[in-house]
Amino acid sequence: MDSYDDTSNDHERFERRQLAQDRNRRRQDVLSIDEQRAAQIVSELREQHIVAVQPEEQLLIHTPTGTKFERDLALVYFHRGWQAADDSDS
């Protein structure tokens, strides 16, 4: 059989290509976050109990990791990276 006719790995190549495209879309989403959108995302994460507020020190705490942040935007970038790493481990 000619190597050009071999289609046995086509589904794997297609799946890898789809995963790469999904990762690229997520990266673009993360890079386009402004302060206002970050505040909305943090509010949503607070409702989901993923973020807690420590009012006396004016900090946001990413509850799954215990990491503390002063700014919404920093927390959102961290959470997106943590989420991507967690997804890739699955």
Side-chain angles (χ1 to χ4, degrees), residues 25-74:
R25 276 189 220 105
R26 278 186 276 176
R27 282 188 192 123
Q28 289 172 353
D29 290 346
V30 168
L31 296 176
S32 63
I33 298 172
D34 60 9
E35 289 287 343
Q36 184 178 3
R37 178 67 183 129
Q40 292 171 339
I41 293 170
V42 168
S43 179
E44 293 167 8
L45 293 173
R46 286 182 65 193
E47 289 174 7
Q48 298 169 12
H49 303 287
I50 294 172
V51 171
V53 177
Q54 191 173 27
E56 57 275 356
E57 294 182 35
Q58 297 182 341
L59 294 174
L60 300 165
I61 302 168
H62 186 254
T63 55
T65 63
T67 308
K68 297 177 182 181
F69 297 90
E70 293 180 0
R71 295 183 51 225
D72 292 342
L73 194 56

Side-chain angles (χ1 to χ4, degrees), residues 1-7:
M1 174 162 44
D2 191 351
S3 64
Y4 293 108
D5 294 332
D6 183 11
T7 60

Side-chain angles (χ1 to χ4, degrees), residues 1-18:
M1 174 162 44
D2 191 351
S3 64
Y4 293 108
D5 294 332
D6 183 11
T7 60
S8 61
N9 292 333
D10 283 354
H11 68 282
E12 291 175 10
R13 284 193 296 269
F14 175 77
E15 189 172 330
R16 279 195 300 271
R17 195 170 30 247
Q18 292 300 108

